[in-house]
Amino acid sequence: MPRLCLNSPQNTLVLLVPLLAMLGHCDGDHLLSQVLFCQPTEPSSGLLKMFDEDQMFSYNFSDNTVTPWIRDFHKWRDQAFSNPSTITSHVKLCNRFREELTKALENITPEARGGAQVTVFTGHPLRLGVENTLICAISDVYPPALTITWRKDAKHLTTSLISSQYFAKVDLSFQAFSYLNVTPYHNDVFSCEVQVAGDNRTIVQYWVPQYPIPSDLMENVLCGLGFSLGIIFLLAGFILLCFAKKLRNID
């Protein structure tokens, strides 16, 4: 049976349909699930195929296509979900449930809302002056409706911005990721600002370049400096050895 979760007054309904509870020849239990959510805010609906908390496929309602999260899954995308007409009927059923349950539970059940947590990190080891990707990871999201804003030195960024879809978790919350292509330099200050629909708070997470990997030029300079110091100490040792021999001969 599907599991229902209603968020009131946000009016978000999540349907989690377990497809397979146990996969053989694996250590421990794994869950293959299909998650459908509908809500009055954008996105109005979403459909995901998840393996535990890893996304396999997502359904695009705009053009009725399936997007695999991993490129190798492309050959199975036609088998990921039912046909579009069945999906449409499921979305209508979801919205009907949402409307009826909202009327029945209004002012009875407390509002369900996640405590979104935001983390920012780089996609590759940090090198100053070298192109990289900042990743803004938002966990414990509910309802799945976010506004994500990137800033650099307090200035709003509108370019080089890539946002991904939502990922369902087994506790019926969601997580999301936003990506920003950057070329970081010393003293840069980036921030990822997140606002969940229906919440007046704005969660801000800052990122500044710290502990970068030395550049190739710096590595070459340090290598040359070390080599030069080695020669100097070698010559100094040779001179001291000769001087010690002369003193011994004098004695």
Side-chain angles (χ1 to χ4, degrees), residues 160-185:
S160 302
L161 179 61
I162 306 172
S163 295
S164 73
Q165 300 174 345
Y166 295 95
F167 294 78
K169 303 182 70 175
V170 294
D171 63 356
L172 293 183
S173 67
F174 293 84
Q175 56 184 348
F177 299 89
S178 182
Y179 305 89
L180 179 68
N181 295 327
V182 298
T183 301
Y185 292 95

Side-chain angles (χ1 to χ4, degrees), residues 13-251:
L13 184 64
V14 178
L15 301 179
L16 174 61
V17 183
L19 301 179
L20 188 60
M22 174 79 76
L23 295 183
H25 308 292
C26 294
D27 294 331
D29 295 345
H30 296 278
L31 181 67
L32 180 64
S33 59
Q34 185 168 295
V35 179
L36 170 68
F37 68 83
C38 56
Q39 58 188 3
T41 54
E42 289 296 330
S44 59
S45 56
L47 179 59
L48 310 171
K49 179 68 68 68
M50 306 292 298
F51 179 74
D52 291 338
E53 294 186 354
D54 295 321
Q55 180 171 298
M56 300 175 65
F57 302 94
S58 62
Y59 187 80
N60 307 312
F61 285 90
S62 58
D63 54 6
N64 297 325
T65 59
V66 176
T67 301
W69 179 245
I70 299 177
R71 185 177 302 175
D72 292 342
F73 290 171
H74 179 80
K75 52 190 170 185
W76 296 302
R77 67 177 185 174
D78 293 336
Q79 307 171 27
F81 301 108
S82 306
N83 58 65
S85 60
T86 302
I87 294 175
T88 300
S89 65
H90 288 169
V91 173
K92 291 181 179 179
L93 180 62
C94 181
N95 279 301
R96 193 183 313 156
F97 268 129
R98 178 180 60 82
E99 293 170 0
E100 294 299 326
L101 288 176
T102 298
K103 294 177 183 178
L105 301 178
E106 189 173 6
N107 299 324
I108 297 177
T109 61
E111 179 181 354
R113 180 180 295 170
Q117 300 179 2
V118 181
T119 306
V120 179
F121 51 92
T122 58
H124 308 283
L126 175 62
R127 291 179 181 268
L128 297 180
V130 177
E131 187 175 352
N132 208 323
T133 301
L134 285 183
I135 303 173
C136 184
I138 307 104
S139 59
D140 197 9
V141 177
Y142 198 89
L146 294 175
T147 300
I148 303 174
T149 303
W150 284 95
R151 296 184 187 275
K152 178 184 178 183
D153 301 327
K155 295 181 181 178
H156 184 205
L157 298 177
T158 57
T159 59
S160 302
L161 179 61
I162 306 172
S163 295
S164 73
Q165 300 174 345
Y166 295 95
F167 294 78
K169 303 182 70 175
V170 294
D171 63 356
L172 293 183
S173 67
F174 293 84
Q175 56 184 348
F177 299 89
S178 182
Y179 305 89
L180 179 68
N181 295 327
V182 298
T183 301
Y185 292 95
H186 186 61
N187 291 330
D188 283 345
V189 178
F190 293 90
S191 64
C192 177
E193 302 180 1
V194 177
Q195 186 170 15
V196 183
D199 195 338
N200 294 326
R201 299 177 305 152
T202 298
I203 305 171
V204 182
Q205 182 65 42
Y206 293 94
W207 181 88
V208 295
Q210 290 183 330
Y211 313 115
I213 295 177
S215 64
D216 294 338
L217 177 60
M218 180 64 70
E219 290 178 355
N220 293 336
V221 170
L222 292 176
C223 183
L225 180 61
F227 183 73
S228 300
L229 289 175
I231 293 177
I232 292 174
F233 285 127
L234 180 63
L235 291 176
F238 180 75
I239 292 173
L240 290 175
L241 180 61
C242 293
F243 184 71
K245 286 184 177 180
K246 288 184 179 179
L247 290 178
R248 198 175 298 164
N249 293 335
I250 293 174
D251 293 341

